[in-house]
Amino acid sequence: MNIALLGYGTVGRGVDDIIRSRVPDVSVVRILELPDRLTDPRMTSNYDQIVSDQNIELVVECMGGIEPAHTFIAQALSAGKHVVTSNKAVVAAHFAEFAQLATANDVAFLIEAAVAGGIPWIASIEKVRRIDEVRSFSGIMNGTTNYIIDSMRREELDFDVALGRAQELGYAERDPSADIDGIDVANKTILSACVAFDVDCVRDLPVTGIRTLTKTDLNQFASHGLMVKLFGRGVCKDGSYAVAVEPVAITQYSLEAAVPSNFNLVSLEGFTVGPLKFYGQGAGSLPTGNAIVQDVIDVMRGRRQVYDFSRGLTYDPTLLTSDYVFRSSTMPVAADAWAPGMWLVRNRTATQARSLFERLQQEDPTAFMAALPKEG
Amino acid sequence: MNIALLGYGTVGRGVDDIIRSRVPDVSVVRILELPDRLTDPRMTSNYDQIVSDQNIELVVECMGGIEPAHTFIAQALSAGKHVVTSNKAVVAAHFAEFAQLATANDVAFLIEAAVAGGIPWIASIEKVRRIDEVRSFSGIMNGTTNYIIDSMRREELDFDVALGRAQELGYAERDPSADIDGIDVANKTILSACVAFDVDCVRDLPVTGIRTLTKTDLNQFASHGLMVKLFGRGVCKDGSYAVAVEPVAITQYSLEAAVPSNFNLVSLEGFTVGPLKFYGQGAGSLPTGNAIVQDVIDVMRGRRQVYDFSRGLTYDPTLLTSDYVFRSSTMPVAADAWAPGMWLVRNRTATQARSLFERLQQEDPTAFMAALPKEG
């Protein structure tokens, strides 16, 4: 099968390497790159040469960003080409449109690499759903923030020092906002909810990151036997669903607390299969490239995943209700003291907690919050 | 698709429940049971009625034991029926024969449920191998022993008390030898190696269980920052492979150390995908039933896994070499003191460690051993 790559950064090069060395049935015949980077005879900066080429059956989009990725994917699907993408931002923004185009043109649209890198997360959700309902999912979906928290805790680094290290190692961008403010996790949470619950997931979910997390916070949580991680979460029940991204304080003995460095751990709860958890590299050239190539092989073997969001779930924020710990110089609502400078506010939805947090941040921009998940 | 169940115990009932309630395209039309247990019109005690029935396309074997399961599976494959089984003992004993029969008769032979219950472990190894080599695998593959160790550590129970609880909860058999002596894990390790390395894995691998583990041992390991778990392990390198089952002392901060109760955690290391770990229920009616039904659906969708063990790997025990801790009243070889009554013996293969352990047990039947895996 002849395929084209859109983008030849870290992920694109990984895909090209893996296919050349390990997948003899697939050839990368075209690569879309910027006009000043055409270093390989397969490269072109003219997308028409790819989308109008009848010999190209499948397009791998790993450019990132919303445009022109959105237009290119839509054009490829409309031209009857399968699309495999690692671009969580564009899928989170346009999943329903892409799914519809894929169905209308009888081609595959696969997104394994867009969430949790090399971990077979999307395919596992889809497999579970052949038999089961997915009641909930949650997990550590961003390696950069896990690396930062892990370094802060193990080596007692300040947030900025840990972030600087993540940037040196190439885990974090120069502008780290998408990671540390939870935007990347929000996109992955939206995609996971779309696939797990068959719903065109809301985009305005409550999202809180870890930008204001301090060593002292981690020590306070540790003295309660807890460890903070940044979680994406979703719940589905009785025709309703809810999603959120926020720091969660979990017991120090949990699997999630043990996730080191920049690894990911994603979990789901199925009706018959029970809890399943998947751990691995959430990013990187070869792991993400591996996920893309797995999708390409699936397409070659005839997989045509159909995403249909017409089930009509309603959004019900009360499905995600927790007690919350806030560190803040002020606390305008009824709350219990939890630790020096920290307050326990009981029984809030993730949406309510986010609203309160925004209010606190107006007074105290250094404020921090974390959910305390209920037992059981 | 019409299928038959051989056996209607915990797993068989789980399969029947899941198919009836969730898989409209599949019907359980026949169930093989003992003559005095024919409580359902679908039941028969005469296997000929199943194997000669042209309407039955697939046989699910969940009787357990070697015979008559071996004969029944071989007859079903020879009659051109697909076979799905949860029976690790019979597959460990006869995998190559079953694989050959399946290929010769152009039918599927699938074993997801035989290892790690509801965890998609076998299918994940197979998927990884489409692109990658599996360099190694390891994991907690027996929920009963994990429950025993976890209870001993968390609740400071003696081994016998924890075992008794596991029996009360139905996790352990009345004769718990297969679990606590590592035989169950050995079967699962053999199957994992067959699938991961494409080899007709040796059956006489070194196997040590946890029968002699004490609370004091766990405390000694904990004072070194270590936690003991019973591991099945395999390594493949440069045309050779090795496998072993033994207690392993891992860092208390690892994911493996955090596995609670009767859960399983199995890991593999792929060349491009890196480490992947999978966590879930390793046993139980619905999780194991789920794994069987997933295999049934795969067959219905055309999956014909071909197992071919002709790659010709050689067995090289030096691939699994560790330092070992022994608790024993005697120590006939050069060793360093590690803790009161415990010795550190460096750089032994799993086979050598097992030989030394058998020698120690002749003097001290209460002796215990655990591998200390090398860093990195």
Side-chain angles (χ1 to χ4, degrees):
Chain A
M1 185 168 64
N2 291 325
I3 74 169
L5 300 183
L6 314 187
Y8 204 66
T10 312
V11 174
R13 277 192 297 269
V15 172
D16 198 28
D17 284 355
I18 294 171
I19 287 178
R20 197 176 34 232
S21 57
R22 295 170 178 271
V23 192
D25 307 347
V26 177
S27 298
V28 178
V29 295
R30 277 295 193 184
I31 299 167
L32 186 73
E33 251 297 0
L34 295 174
D36 58 339
R37 292 193 198 164
L38 305 178
T39 56
D40 181 303
R42 299 170 295 173
M43 288 180 177
T44 175
S45 61
N46 181 357
Y47 185 55
D48 284 344
Q49 292 193 347
I50 291 171
V51 80
S52 66
D53 185 341
Q54 298 299 317
N55 291 318
I56 294 172
E57 289 180 61
L58 183 150
V59 168
V60 170
E61 187 274 310
C62 43
M63 319 166 55
I66 304 286
E67 287 296 351
H70 163 243
T71 304
F72 289 173
I73 291 173
Q75 286 178 351
L77 293 169
S78 300
K81 298 185 193 311
H82 310 292
V83 172
V84 170
T85 179
S86 59
N87 181 341
K88 58 224 78 169
V90 74
V91 183
H94 299 288
F95 202 162
E97 180 195 348
F98 296 151
Q100 220 163 11
L101 280 173
T103 306
N105 292 281
D106 197 23
V107 290
F109 176 69
L110 297 181
I111 61 164
E112 183 63 78
V115 187
I119 303 173
W121 170 238
I122 298 293
S124 294
I125 297 175
E126 286 164 359
K127 188 168 182 184
V128 164
R129 291 209 52 209
R130 305 192 311 189
I131 302 178
D132 250 345
E133 288 145 63
V134 176
R135 294 168 151 180
S136 63
F137 67 86
S138 69
I140 299 167
M141 300 177 170
N142 180 278
T144 308
T145 45
N146 197 71
Y147 176 84
I148 292 171
I149 297 171
D150 191 49
S151 311
M152 289 174 72
R153 183 81 196 116
R154 283 185 203 234
E155 305 179 50
E156 303 202 4
L157 303 182
D158 284 320
F159 183 92
D160 289 338
V161 177
L163 170 59
R165 284 230 197 135
Q167 287 169 320
E168 276 166 37
L169 290 165
Y171 299 158
E173 305 287 328
R174 200 169 305 179
D175 175 359
S177 310
D179 289 325
I180 66 177
D181 291 335
I183 299 158
D184 174 75
V185 179
N187 285 333
K188 292 166 175 171
T189 301
I190 290 168
L191 299 198
S192 301
C194 289
V195 175
F197 305 150
D198 250 355
V199 67
D200 188 11
C201 179
V202 297
R203 273 86 165 182
D204 61 342
L205 65 166
V207 177
T208 303
I210 61 155
R211 187 185 280 270
T212 55
L213 177 66
T214 67
K215 269 193 307 193
T216 312
D217 294 336
L218 287 175
N219 290 335
Q220 294 287 8
F221 284 104
S223 70
H224 287 75
L226 300 171
M227 175 78 190
V228 172
K229 297 280 184 178
L230 180 59
F231 268 44
R233 294 200 282 171
V235 181
C236 186
K237 197 178 169 188
D238 303 335
S240 298
Y241 77 106
V243 285
V245 176
E246 58 195 7
V248 177
I250 50 178
T251 159
Q252 284 179 325
Y253 301 106
S254 64
L255 251 68
E256 284 75 10
V259 174
S261 186
N262 65 335
F263 281 87
N264 284 194
L265 179 76
V266 280
S267 308
L268 63 81
E269 176 89 28
F271 187 78
T272 65
V273 80
L276 288 179
K277 297 176 191 260
F278 304 87
Y279 167 95
Q281 279 288 357
S285 179
L286 291 178
T288 307
N290 183 293
I292 286 176
V293 176
Q294 290 286 11
D295 275 354
V296 171
I297 292 172
D298 276 352
V299 172
M300 200 164 58
R301 297 195 178 179
R303 179 161 157 230
R304 301 286 175 274
Q305 192 66 41
V306 175
Y307 294 107
D308 173 7
F309 302 145
S310 61
R311 187 176 166 202
L313 294 182
T314 53
Y315 192 77
D316 177 2
T318 64
L319 291 177
L320 275 173
T321 301
S322 310
D323 295 342
Y324 282 84
V325 170
F326 294 87
R327 173 181 44 73
S328 169
S329 58
T330 59
M331 179 45 70
V333 303
D336 297 330
W338 192 75
M342 297 176 113
W343 308 90
L344 177 66
V345 178
R346 290 180 200 278
N347 219 26
R348 291 293 197 281
T349 69
T351 306
Q352 290 167 336
R354 174 68 200 170
S355 298
L356 175 55
F357 186 61
E358 287 173 9
R359 202 170 143 195
L360 298 177
Q361 281 202 310
Q362 285 170 11
E363 292 286 314
D364 178 1
T366 73
F368 180 75
M369 65 167 256
L372 299 176
K374 303 231 162 105
E375 293 302 310
Chain B
M1 186 167 65
N2 291 325
I3 75 170
L5 300 183
L6 314 188
Y8 205 66
T10 312
V11 174
R13 278 192 296 270
V15 172
D16 198 30
D17 283 356
I18 294 171
I19 287 177
R20 197 174 37 230
S21 57
R22 295 171 179 270
V23 191
D25 306 348
V26 176
S27 297
V28 178
V29 295
R30 277 294 193 187
I31 299 167
L32 186 72
E33 252 296 3
L34 296 173
D36 58 338
R37 292 193 199 164
L38 306 177
T39 56
D40 181 303
R42 297 170 296 173
M43 289 180 177
T44 174
S45 60
N46 181 357
Y47 185 55
D48 284 344
Q49 292 193 346
I50 290 171
V51 81
S52 66
D53 185 341
Q54 297 300 316
N55 291 317
I56 294 173
E57 290 179 61
L58 183 151
V59 169
V60 170
E61 186 273 309
C62 43
M63 319 165 54
I66 305 285
E67 287 294 353
H70 163 243
T71 304
F72 289 173
I73 291 174
Q75 287 178 349
L77 294 169
S78 300
K81 299 188 193 309
H82 310 292
V83 171
V84 170
T85 179
S86 60
N87 180 343
K88 58 225 76 168
V90 75
V91 184
H94 300 287
F95 202 160
E97 179 194 349
F98 295 151
Q100 220 164 9
L101 281 173
T103 306
N105 292 282
D106 197 22
V107 291
F109 176 68
L110 297 181
I111 61 164
E112 183 63 79
V115 187
I119 302 174
W121 170 238
I122 298 292
S124 294
I125 296 176
E126 286 164 359
K127 189 168 182 184
V128 165
R129 291 210 52 209
R130 305 193 310 188
I131 301 177
D132 252 344
E133 288 144 64
V134 176
R135 294 168 151 182
S136 63
F137 68 85
S138 69
I140 299 167
M141 300 176 168
N142 179 278
T144 307
T145 45
N146 198 72
Y147 175 85
I148 291 172
I149 297 171
D150 191 50
S151 310
M152 289 173 73
R153 182 84 196 115
R154 283 184 204 235
E155 303 179 52
E156 303 201 4
L157 303 181
D158 284 319
F159 183 92
D160 289 339
V161 178
L163 170 60
R165 284 231 199 135
Q167 287 169 319
E168 275 166 38
L169 289 163
Y171 299 158
E173 305 288 326
R174 199 169 306 178
D175 175 0
S177 309
D179 289 325
I180 67 177
D181 292 334
I183 299 157
D184 175 75
V185 179
N187 285 332
K188 292 166 175 171
T189 302
I190 291 168
L191 299 197
S192 301
C194 289
V195 176
F197 305 150
D198 250 355
V199 67
D200 189 12
C201 180
V202 298
R203 272 85 166 184
D204 60 343
L205 65 167
V207 178
T208 304
I210 62 156
R211 186 184 281 270
T212 55
L213 177 67
T214 68
K215 266 193 309 193
T216 312
D217 295 336
L218 287 175
N219 290 336
Q220 294 287 8
F221 283 104
S223 70
H224 287 74
L226 300 170
M227 175 76 190
V228 172
K229 297 280 184 176
L230 180 60
F231 268 44
R233 295 199 282 171
V235 180
C236 186
K237 197 178 169 187
D238 302 335
S240 298
Y241 78 105
V243 286
V245 175
E246 58 196 7
V248 177
I250 50 178
T251 159
Q252 284 179 325
Y253 301 105
S254 64
L255 252 69
E256 284 75 9
V259 173
S261 187
N262 65 337
F263 281 88
N264 283 195
L265 179 76
V266 281
S267 308
L268 63 83
E269 176 89 29
F271 187 78
T272 66
V273 80
L276 288 178
K277 295 175 191 262
F278 304 86
Y279 167 97
Q281 280 287 357
S285 178
L286 291 178
T288 307
N290 183 294
I292 287 176
V293 176
Q294 290 286 11
D295 275 353
V296 171
I297 292 173
D298 276 353
V299 172
M300 199 164 58
R301 296 194 178 180
R303 178 162 158 229
R304 299 288 176 273
Q305 192 66 40
V306 175
Y307 293 106
D308 173 7
F309 302 144
S310 61
R311 187 177 166 202
L313 294 182
T314 53
Y315 192 77
D316 177 2
T318 65
L319 291 176
L320 275 173
T321 301
S322 310
D323 295 342
Y324 282 84
V325 169
F326 294 88
R327 172 180 46 71
S328 170
S329 58
T330 59
M331 178 47 67
V333 303
D336 297 330
W338 191 76
M342 298 177 112
W343 308 90
L344 177 65
V345 178
R346 290 181 200 276
N347 218 26
R348 290 293 197 280
T349 67
T351 307
Q352 291 167 336
R354 175 66 200 169
S355 297
L356 175 55
F357 186 61
E358 287 174 7
R359 203 169 143 197
L360 298 177
Q361 281 202 311
Q362 286 170 10
E363 292 286 313
D364 178 1
T366 74
F368 180 75
M369 66 167 256
L372 299 177
K374 303 233 161 102
E375 292 301 310

